[in-house]
């Protein structure tokens, strides 16, 4: 019984390792894509969108597979949901500042 | 006195205390880098003109460093997987590779920084460079911190493997989470600073 459990466990880890290698290759390809796209000197809004989209995909792959977020406990998701909320709030501050400036400008 | 819930799972959280601890720490790190990214957006959108990163910074070197850091993330996760397979020797090789790759990243960064200083480009030169040095400098400190922890687990801290392998696995997993976070931050820093 013990031997079967150990074999199952080893097979499980082997499966994980194959996923890590696939993610690694994907990350390398996406890095090349990011650099290649930047050489086209696209208009700033498009360039920013593409760069952030690719970075988000890469970041998600690292978080989901290397950090094992794809199979994590609920409490960790709750902590991260709260973090994501405040992170978005933080990044929205510059937008609010601009809205404020716009308001003052048009008084 | 023994530290509670280092190996056994807490019934209320379903996790060890170390796991919750590292994720709370990473949450605070998200806010730290988030504040700096928000400052970057504010300063950049408020500036009448803004240089493209590749007109000042060295993109090939940064691309190389991106590849180095991603590779180090893979070796880190392989180090943990080696412990899960009870292969301590392989763990040492992968962990050693992770530390070495961290070192390569720092050496490349040293050359990048010294080239900037030699050509008279300092944080005080303009807003772009102020942001570049602040963000990459803070990130570099994180690389150094991660390397120090990993070096401890590669060297003296590895003694724990003999007495409590489960605890050692957990510790390596947690240091790995930090290392992957450092990689994740760089994944966003690279395009936003160097390519846009």
């Amino acid at each position: 019984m013990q031997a079967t459990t150990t074999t199952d466990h080893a097979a499980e880890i082997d499966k994980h390792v194959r996923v890590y290698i696939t993610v690694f290759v994907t990350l390398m390809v996406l890095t090349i894509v990011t650099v290649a796209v930047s050489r086209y000197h696209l208009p700033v809004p498009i360039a920013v969108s593409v760069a952030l989209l690719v970075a988000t995909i890469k970041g998600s792959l690292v978080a989901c597979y290397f950090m094992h977020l794809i199979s994590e406990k609920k409490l960790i998701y709750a902590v991260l949901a709260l973090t994501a909320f405040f992170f978005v709030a933080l990044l929205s501050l510059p937008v609010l500042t601009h809205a404020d400036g716009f308001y003052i400008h048009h008084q | 006195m023994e530290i509670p819930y280092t190996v056994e799972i807490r019934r209320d959280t379903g996790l060890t205390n170390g796991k919750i601890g590292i994720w709370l720490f990473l949450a605070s790190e998200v806010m730290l880098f988030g504040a700096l990214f928000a400052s970057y957006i504010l300063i950049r959108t408020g500036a009448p003109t803004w240089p493209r990163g590749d007109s000042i910074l060295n993109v090939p070197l940064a691309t190389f460093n991106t590849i180095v850091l991603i590779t180090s993330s893979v070796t880190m996760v392989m180090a943990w997987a080696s412990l899960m397979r009870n292969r301590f020797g392989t763990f040492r090789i992968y962990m050693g590779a992770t530390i070495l790759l961290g070192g390569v990243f720092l050496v490349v960064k040293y050359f990048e920084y010294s080239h900037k200083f030699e050509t008279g480009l300092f944080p005080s030169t303009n807003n772009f460079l102020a942001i570049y040095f602040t963000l990459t400098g803070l990130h570099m400190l994180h690389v150094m911190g991660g390397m120090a922890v990993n070096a401890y687990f590669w060297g003296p801290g590895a003694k724990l493997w003999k007495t409590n392998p489960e605890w050692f696995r957990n510790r390596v997993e947690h240091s790995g989470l930090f290392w992957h976070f450092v990689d994740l931050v760089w994944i966003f820093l690279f395009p936003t600073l160097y390519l846009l």
Side-chain angles (χ1 to χ4, degrees), chain A residues 32-100:
Chain A
I32 294 163
V33 168
T34 314
V35 178
V37 168
S38 77
R39 286 173 175 264
Y40 285 103
H41 290 252
L42 298 167
V44 175
I46 299 170
V48 171
S49 307
V50 173
L52 287 183
L53 177 73
V54 177
T56 307
I57 296 169
K58 284 169 76 182
S60 306
L61 285 172
V62 171
C64 288
Y65 296 102
F66 292 169
M67 299 171 92
H68 304 126
L69 266 187
I70 201 136
S71 54
E72 208 30 281
K73 293 282 184 298
K74 269 185 196 160
L75 185 68
I76 304 289
Y77 292 143
V79 167
L80 290 179
L82 208 60
T83 311
F85 173 78
F86 283 109
F87 181 73
V88 171
L90 201 58
L91 290 188
S92 308
L93 284 178
V95 181
L96 294 175
T97 312
H98 279 282
D100 192 36

Side-chain angles (χ1 to χ4, degrees), chain B residues 85-97:
Chain B
R85 289 159 149 173
N86 291 318
R87 293 179 189 167
F88 184 73
T90 322
F91 156 76
R92 270 246 160 98
I93 293 168
Y94 279 123
M95 193 56 131

Side-chain angles (χ1 to χ4, degrees), chain B residues 114-179:
Chain B
S114 19
H115 179 71
K116 293 283 159 295
F117 296 148
E118 276 164 18
T119 47
L121 298 172
F122 297 98
S124 56
T125 308
N126 58 38
N127 278 346
F128 173 79
L129 285 166
I131 282 166
Y132 164 75
F133 281 112
T134 308
L135 275 167
T136 55
L138 183 69
H139 178 264
M140 214 162 62
L141 287 177
H142 280 74
V143 172
M144 288 174 188
M147 279 174 71
V149 175
N150 287 343
Y152 173 74
F153 290 135
W154 184 85
K159 276 186 288 189
L160 187 65
W161 175 251
K162 284 183 184 151
T163 52
N164 196 335
E166 192 65 25
W167 193 5
F168 187 66
R169 271 190 212 112
N170 287 352
R171 285 182 153 194
V172 169
E173 186 189 359
H174 302 157
S175 72
L177 284 172
F178 178 76
W179 192 256

